[in-house]
């Protein structure tokens, strides 16, 4: 029995409605919020983001990304054993988004569940799927990150409303005789939960708590760079590789400054770092697979490459997956 797992298909979906900084500034001005396009771009690197329309649910977008991943892998839906959806914006409390996507795909041979680790969710989900293939419990998995963070945003809060976008990305992971996922590294620190959270719940039919994203941007920045640098070094060591053997870094797309500083610390060139934050904004658990999809469609992803996928965000949670394509 094959004991390795390999990514053989990649897909992505972005909502139809693209909102440039200029358009966002106009919309915010109608609500009395003053900002400008240059201010947004200079502090975040974001030029535009995609915002979901009513029909573009977490389930819908995840399904579209999954179908594209399956098509590129050349696999029928009947081959799927497992569906894991990384999301913090499920369409409903239960059943899981994974079960809804299973129904949309008609993937009757698969079982599925959701995983909630916010912006690190995709890296966490990929690690779980890899472990299940390695253990021989399944032979294939759809790993999906799908988010509609625009529905969690306070559009009166300039600190957060400029940052987030919606979208979905997916990969098809299957058993292989040769190593694809080389090593994984996951961490969390609940003592830092206060720096990025969504502190609300449903109780007796009412929303209790603060129903919008709360973030201490400076603290997130500081901890994110340190955490990702350390995790990158650790996951490479586990595979007996050096930084100079890494071909591509696909990090969580939160802020261009985080990406630039991380690349500098790891001594990576700009060409080695996949950056989509300018086009997509922060799409939470969809961020990493969407960036990986961008690397694929622009032919930056080549067979034999060592690629490092990294997530970091609320929890505080972070991690890395090192893959060979």
């Amino acid at each position: 029995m094959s004991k390795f797992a390999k990514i053989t298909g990649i897909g992505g979906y972005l909502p139809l409605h693209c909102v440039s900084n200029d358009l966002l500034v106009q919309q915010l001005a109608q609500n009395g919020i003053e900002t400008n396009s240059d201010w947004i771009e200079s502090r975040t690197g974001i030029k535009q983001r995609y915002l979901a329309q009513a029909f573009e649910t977490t389930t819908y977008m995840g399904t579209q990304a999954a179908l594209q991943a399956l098509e590129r892998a050349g696999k029928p839906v009947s081959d799927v054993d497992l569906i894991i959806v990384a999301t913090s914006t499920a369409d409903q409390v239960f059943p899981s988004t994974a079960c809804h996507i299973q129904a949309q795909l008609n993937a009757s041979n698969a079982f599925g569940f959701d995983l909630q680790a916010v912006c690190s969710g995709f890296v966490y989900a990929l690690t779980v799927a890899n472990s299940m293939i390695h253990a021989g419990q399944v032979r294939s998995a759809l790993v999906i990150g799908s988010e509609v963070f625009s529905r969690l945003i306070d559009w009166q809060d300039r600190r957060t409303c400029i940052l987030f976008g919606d979208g979905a990305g997916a990969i098809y992971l299957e058993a292989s005789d040769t190593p694809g996922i080389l090593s994984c590294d996951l961490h969390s620190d609940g003592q830092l939960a206060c720096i990025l959270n969504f502190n609300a719940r449903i109780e007796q039919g009412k929303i209790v708590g603060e129903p919008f994203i709360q973030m201490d941007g400076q603290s997130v920045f500081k901890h994110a760079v340190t955490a990702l640098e350390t995790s990158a070094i650790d996951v490479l060591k586990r595979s007996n590789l050096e930084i100079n053997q890494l071909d591509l870094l696909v990090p969580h797309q939160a802020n261009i400054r985080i990406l630039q500083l991380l690349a500098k610390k790891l001594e990576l060139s700009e060409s080695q770092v996949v950056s989509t934050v300018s086009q997509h904004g922060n799409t939470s658990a969809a961020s990493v697979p969407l960036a990986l999809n961008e690397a694929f469609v622009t032919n930056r992803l080549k067979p034999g490459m060592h690629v490092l996928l990294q997530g970091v965000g609320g929890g505080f949670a972070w991690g890395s997956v090192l893959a060979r394509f």
Side-chain angles (χ1 to χ4, degrees), residues 38 41 44 63 73-74 96 121 148 166 180 218 221 234 264 298 321-322 325:
D38 291 340
E41 186 175 349
T44 68
T63 300
S96 69
V148 192
D166 305 326
Q218 290 186 341
F221 184 98
D234 288 348
K264 181 178 180 180
T298 57
V321 171
L322 181 63
F325 281 81

Side-chain angles (χ1 to χ4, degrees), residues 61-118:
M61 295 193 299
T63 300
Q64 301 310 306
L67 285 169
Q68 189 172 71
L70 284 168
E71 180 182 359
R72 288 173 175 167
K75 298 292 182 178
V77 172
S78 58
D79 277 10
V80 180
D81 294 332
L82 168 65
I83 301 170
I84 306 180
V85 178
T87 187
S88 298
T89 57
D91 297 325
Q92 58 190 84
V93 174
F94 65 86
S96 69
T97 307
C99 284
H100 287 304
I101 289 178
Q102 179 202 30
Q104 293 295 310
L105 294 173
N106 194 26
S108 57
N109 295 329
F111 67 95
F113 58 89
D114 290 359
L115 188 153
Q116 211 277 56
V118 203

Side-chain angles (χ1 to χ4, degrees), residues 4 11-12 18 24 30 74-75 117 128 154 171 183 185 192 197 208 233 267 274 289 295-296 300 312:
F4 302 113
C18 180
L24 180 64
Q30 295 175 3
K75 298 292 182 178
V128 171
D154 180 358
I171 61 97
S183 53
D185 179 66
L192 297 175
N197 61 71
V208 178
I233 294 170
E267 298 183 349
V274 178
F296 173 79
R300 294 178 66 182
V312 62

Side-chain angles (χ1 to χ4, degrees), residues 297-316:
V297 299
T298 57
N299 294 316
R300 294 178 66 182
L301 194 60
K302 306 290 185 182
M305 276 189 166
H306 291 117
V307 179
L308 181 60
L309 312 176
Q310 290 197 296
V312 62
F316 200 68

Side-chain angles (χ1 to χ4, degrees), residues 123-195:
V123 169
Y124 270 60
L126 180 53
T127 299
V128 171
N130 173 64
S131 297
M132 294 186 75
I133 290 177
H134 186 76
Q137 292 181 294
V138 299
R139 289 192 55 81
S140 65
L142 279 169
V143 183
I144 303 164
S146 186
E147 301 278 25
V148 192
F149 253 58
S150 62
R151 294 169 190 167
L152 304 183
I153 292 171
D154 180 358
W155 291 97
Q156 300 291 320
D157 182 359
R158 188 178 69 162
R159 298 170 302 171
T160 58
C161 71
I162 63 172
L163 300 175
F164 295 95
D166 305 326
I171 61 97
Y172 185 71
L173 189 71
E174 60 182 306
S176 171
D177 293 327
T178 57
I181 304 301
L182 303 182
S183 53
C184 305
D185 179 66
L186 301 180
H187 300 273
S188 63
D189 184 354
Q191 298 295 325
L192 297 175
C194 59
I195 68 175

Side-chain angles (χ1 to χ4, degrees), residues 41-45 221 225 228 249 251-270 273-275 277:
E41 186 175 349
S42 65
R43 283 161 177 76
T44 68
F221 184 98
V225 174
L228 292 179
L249 171 63
H252 170 54
Q253 307 289 314
N255 186 303
I256 191 63
R257 293 180 177 182
I258 293 177
L259 273 61
Q260 290 172 340
L261 183 54
L262 177 62
K264 181 178 180 180
K265 286 181 174 291
L266 295 177
E267 298 183 349
L268 298 175
S269 67
E270 182 178 335
V273 181
V274 178
S275 175
V277 67

